[in-house]
Amino acid sequence: MVNIRKVTKDITWIGASDRRLALFENAFPIPRGVSYNSYLINDEKTALMDTTDASVSEQFLENLKAALDGKSLDYLVINHMEPDHCATVGEVLLRYPEVNVVGNAKTFQMLDQFFDADLPEERRTVVKEGDKLSLGTHVLTFIMAPMVHWPEAMFTYDLKEYALFSADAFGTFGALNGNIFVDEVEFEKEWLPDARRYYTNIVGKFGSNVQAVFKKAAGIDIALILPLHGPIWRNHISWILDKYQKWSSYEAEEKGVALFVASMYGHTASVVDSLAGALAEKGIRNIAVYDVSATDVSVMIAEIFRFNTIVLASVSYNAGIHPKMEALLADMKALNVQNKKVALLENGTWAPSAQRCMRAAVESMKNMEIIEPGFTIKSSFNENQREEFDALVRQIAEAVR
Ligand code: FEO
């Protein structure tokens, strides 16, 4: 059944949601599904803004046909060539053999790699920064957004509607549940954890690239943000821009502490729980405790971006760290985590090694401040360590504040 929604008189959302996919990019759990957005601009000329993932291609093609309502498709603008958005390009080219494809030089390089499209030169419009394309009353201009999140990514800005087609930027995990629009109150309540998890894990590594695009786009008026995943922004746009500013500059959103524990028989976890309790008694309210073996790494990465202080607690394992803690540290490094205050806690029954390894990993990241001197337990907490423990609690509370 056709499922299209008017965004404005001329812009129609023609995307679809997938609630069956378990792992986005075969890596990230998405229990709430994900939407693949696509838009049609209907002017003297028509322009399709990106396509969708293959999983929803049937719905998308039905929507496209309905939105065109008998008109021809003149342009297909490709803002991003990752297959969650471009998988249906080949089918669009077959069904609309006159369509002219608009992208930058890298877009076409990837198009030819992904598809045996045999698209003649006269049906390729290669654009660069600031070029303009008139559809009649709508004029589109292009803002290159390399590495947000692939090198060919670009934003398209509609000068008539002040509408920013932002590719992956401002997207979120989560299927759309009827309403395609969102405001900041609803977003904070319903979407923020998934949006943070999406940004930090998918684009988090490329904060400097996001900042560079922000600088270029700083002067433009934005009335609408139309991302490729999740709801559309048309109110309180400064609120989501502020979140992106923080995330992309690796600035913590909140004063608080997330404690991550790799425990085998519960002794390390017991100390971490006591630590969380002692911090609560010190008046710290933003506290989250995660068992690294029971929590998806993408959730923990999002929490690390969120808070200014983290505690890493691990048993020693094979003269190193517990493998789940090692995986978390590897992901932190890969995603460019920086600007955190970090407390280290280790357990070692005969030859503690976890602190040394965690320290080396944290020190390889940028602007990380380790709360010294670190804390070691041997098998289990010993009451002789109470004073040292209380000092650690005070130091972490100070770091959070
Ligand atoms: Fe939603 Fe980078 O693709």
Side-chain angles (χ1 to χ4, degrees), residues 80 82 84-85 149 168 198 229:
H80 189 16
E82 191 164 5
D84 56 332
H85 310 294
H149 123 251
D168 272 343
Y198 171 86
H229 302 285

Side-chain angles (χ1 to χ4, degrees), residues 89-326:
V89 165
E91 188 61 29
V92 168
L93 298 181
L94 286 174
R95 291 186 183 211
Y96 302 93
E98 305 305 317
V99 71
N100 190 292
V101 179
V102 180
N104 58 60
K106 287 196 176 80
T107 314
F108 286 103
Q109 193 184 329
M110 290 186 185
L111 186 75
D112 292 331
Q113 287 173 199
F114 275 113
F115 297 98
D116 184 17
D118 199 20
L119 190 68
E121 288 305 315
E122 62 270 20
R123 288 177 56 204
R124 297 174 185 235
T125 299
V126 183
V127 295
K128 53 189 183 327
E129 183 80 33
D131 281 359
K132 290 190 170 58
L133 175 71
S134 175
L135 305 178
T137 63
H138 292 253
V139 176
L140 306 182
T141 187
F142 306 96
I143 302 165
M144 299 302 124
M147 301 319 297
V148 187
H149 123 251
W150 278 16
E152 89 305 348
M154 66 181 193
F155 297 170
T156 298
Y157 180 63
D158 177 352
L159 292 151
K160 180 180 180 185
E161 307 260 22
Y162 308 108
L164 185 68
F165 295 88
S166 62
D168 272 343
F170 309 107
T172 175
F173 296 133
L176 290 170
N177 295 316
N179 189 11
I180 60 168
F181 300 105
V182 76
D183 64 27
E184 93 285 11
V185 175
E186 188 189 349
F187 195 82
E188 190 157 19
K189 198 166 128 231
E190 306 274 339
W191 295 94
L192 183 56
D194 262 336
R196 186 189 294 112
R197 192 164 66 90
Y198 171 86
Y199 173 85
T200 56
N201 287 276
I202 306 291
V203 194
K205 180 180 180 63
F206 308 112
S208 59
N209 301 83
V210 175
Q211 288 275 310
V213 179
F214 268 21
K215 280 201 184 85
K216 280 197 290 184
I220 65 173
D221 290 328
I222 302 173
L224 281 168
I225 297 178
L226 302 112
L228 288 177
H229 302 285
I232 295 164
W233 286 86
R234 61 179 177 184
N235 295 309
H236 303 110
I237 283 169
S238 60
W239 186 89
I240 189 65
L241 290 175
D242 180 61
K243 289 288 178 204
Y244 262 66
Q245 179 63 30
K246 285 199 167 74
W247 293 337
S248 60
S249 59
Y250 305 96
E251 183 189 335
E253 273 172 86
E254 297 173 26
K255 290 180 177 179
V257 58
L259 302 92
F260 302 96
V261 58
S263 186
M264 289 168 66
Y265 301 104
H267 302 96
T268 315
S270 169
V271 178
V272 166
D273 270 329
S274 296
L275 188 53
L279 287 166
E281 287 192 347
K282 284 259 177 242
I284 305 297
R285 285 292 166 265
N286 253 342
I287 304 172
V289 180
Y290 294 96
D291 184 318
V292 297
S293 302
T295 313
D296 189 77
V297 70
S298 66
V299 172
M300 296 189 283
I301 288 291
E303 290 294 78
I304 289 169
F305 269 73
R306 179 180 163 207
F307 289 124
N308 66 341
T309 306
I310 59 173
V311 175
L312 303 174
S314 176
V315 293
S316 301
Y317 198 94
N318 286 339
I321 329 170
H322 189 281
K324 296 291 187 183
M325 180 61 79
E326 196 164 26

